[in-house]
Amino acid sequence: MDPLEELRRLCLAQPEATERLSHGEPTWFVKGRKTFVMFADHHHDDRLAFWCAAAPGTQEALVAEDPTRFFRPPYVGHRGWLGVYLDVPVDWAEIGELVADAYRFVRYGAP
């Protein structure tokens, strides 16, 4: 399974989600305006990952629970965004929940 294609499928399944390049990476937006997920293809380090918006406390809890799968991304981590590695075994059902939560958080202010 191609991680980018699967992530793209999950992101574009959200209502009124759009995709375009931002900072050289595929990025998904709510109604073409606000970012909710950003692909990270070795742009900032040597890991394949994505960054997503997250409700307060989510980043800290998931990174503490499993730092081999989750991390605090650069640039947006201080705003609570969550980094998710895609170069480890991936639970795509869980990724789908994180994507949906990110979308709802950006669109409505709550997961």
Side-chain angles (χ1 to χ4, degrees):
M1 175 181 307
D2 179 349
L4 173 57
E5 290 307 315
E6 186 61 16
L7 184 62
R8 176 176 283 129
R9 183 187 70 76
L10 294 169
C11 290
L12 292 177
Q14 305 307 310
E16 301 181 275
T18 60
E19 176 183 346
R20 69 176 181 271
L21 290 179
S22 179
H23 301 91
E25 302 280 11
T27 304
W28 293 272
F29 299 83
V30 174
K31 294 184 168 186
R33 294 190 306 264
K34 292 185 173 184
T35 304
F36 70 100
V37 171
M38 300 173 66
F39 191 63
D41 186 8
H42 308 95
H43 183 73
H44 300 282
D45 60 19
D46 62 348
R47 304 289 306 266
L48 183 65
F50 71 91
W51 307 347
C52 63
T58 301
Q59 176 203 93
E60 295 82 3
L62 291 177
V63 170
E65 177 184 313
D66 193 350
T68 64
R69 294 178 49 229
F70 304 105
F71 64 99
R72 183 178 191 241
Y75 311 110
V76 293
H78 70 281
R79 293 181 16 219
W81 278 55
L82 175 66
V84 182
Y85 291 120
L86 295 173
D87 57 4
V88 296
V90 174
D91 177 347
W92 285 104
E94 180 183 45
I95 299 297
E97 291 173 19
L98 292 171
V99 165
D101 287 348
Y103 174 85
R104 285 190 297 269
F105 185 69
V106 169
R107 180 148 189 199
Y108 304 112

